[in-house]
Structure formats: structure tokens, C-alpha cells
Amino acid sequence: MRIRAIGLLIGMALAWTGAFFFVKTYHDGVAQQAGLIADRIEVPEDWIVVSEHVEREQFVCFNTKPCPTLSRTWQADRVLEATDLQRLTDTLGWDFELDGDCQRGDDEVGVSSVCSAVATSEGYRIQLRVDSPEPGSASMVRLRLTSAGQ
């Protein structure tokens, strides 16, 4: 009886370990796919990546924190205009909907979102958002890739 219980415990531990590595490999592949899509976005060489975060796929994803999600932020080399965002999205070949004119309002305080572009492709929702940290300062461009099912 004791040997059977030990064998059962060892079998359960091996099954759990195998399932863990199978799921981890799958989830890492999904995150890698999001990274490949994000890498298609060719920004000017003068732009600096200031942050990047990948939220890997999980067993349970919440509306407040969807997964998989990839976020990347660049510091542009100047204040961007709507034509700059249009030029960036045109090179990607996805059908983006542009929103906003990329002009900061005179009454806005702090970081302001001035325009954005959204598309859906390959099972992902792709959003590029241009933020103005303060009047006259170089724009920040934020990429957010989320699963289109979210």
C-alpha cells in the first residue's frame, strides 16, 4: 500500500511537471509571436526605446490586465504630427483607424494623448498612441498589442 501511494505521488508530480513545461513553452511562443509583430514597426533610428513589457498568456486573463499583451514605448526625436503617425502606419500594411490630429490643446496639463491609430491583424489589436509629455517636448509613442479576443 505504501509503495503504491509513493508511486502515485511520483506519477502526479511528473505529470504536473510535464504539464507545466508544456504550458510554459506554449505561452512563451505566444509572447514571442507578439514580439515579432511589434518588431515589424520600423521607427526612425533616432527614437529611443524607453520601456517594454510583455504580459504572457495565463490560464486566467482579466479585463483590467488582458494577456498576452506587449507594450513598448519610444521617445521620438521631436514633436510628432498626424502625418508622422500616418507615415508610420502606412509602412505596416495594416488597416489602421486614425483618431486625433496630434495637436496638444493649450489648456492641457501633464502628459496628454494627442492622437492614436488602431488596427486588428493576426489575432491582435494593435494600438499606437502619441503622447505629449509637455508643450514643445518630443513626443512619446506607445505601442500596445493585445489579443483581439480581449
Side-chain angles (χ1 to χ4, degrees):
M1 181 79 156
R2 183 180 228 186
I3 293 176
R4 187 177 292 169
I6 291 172
L8 182 61
L9 288 174
I10 291 172
M12 288 173 47
L14 289 174
W16 184 87
T17 302
F20 171 80
F21 284 111
F22 174 78
V23 170
K24 182 177 178 354
T25 301
Y26 171 75
H27 291 176
D28 288 348
V30 170
Q32 183 179 14
Q33 179 186 5
L36 291 174
I37 292 171
D39 289 342
R40 289 188 207 167
I41 299 171
E42 296 179 18
V43 299
E45 291 180 17
D46 296 347
W47 291 15
I48 300 166
V49 175
V50 293
S51 71
E52 181 170 288
H53 177 75
V54 177
E55 183 69 38
R56 300 192 184 297
E57 192 166 18
Q58 304 169 16
F59 285 114
V60 179
C61 296
F62 301 100
N63 287 339
T64 57
K65 195 173 185 181
C67 54
T69 302
L70 182 142
S71 300
R72 186 178 291 166
T73 303
W74 294 273
Q75 174 76 52
D77 57 345
R78 59 190 166 77
V79 176
L80 299 180
E81 299 176 0
T83 55
D84 296 312
L85 183 59
Q86 181 71 51
R87 196 171 316 130
L88 182 63
T89 59
D90 284 348
T91 63
L92 296 170
W94 299 316
D95 188 23
F96 278 93
E97 285 185 38
L98 299 175
D99 183 34
D101 60 4
C102 295
Q103 298 297 313
R104 183 184 176 94
D106 293 334
D107 58 341
E108 295 183 38
V109 178
V111 177
S112 299
S113 180
V114 293
C115 59
S116 65
V118 177
T120 302
S121 181
E122 300 179 39
Y124 287 91
R125 180 178 184 272
I126 303 136
Q127 179 187 32
L128 286 166
R129 187 180 82 208
V130 178
D131 290 345
S132 171
E134 58 186 52
S137 66
S139 300
M140 303 290 288
V141 178
R142 301 179 195 282
L143 165 68
R144 182 169 164 90
L145 273 164
T146 57
S147 174
Q150 296 290 329

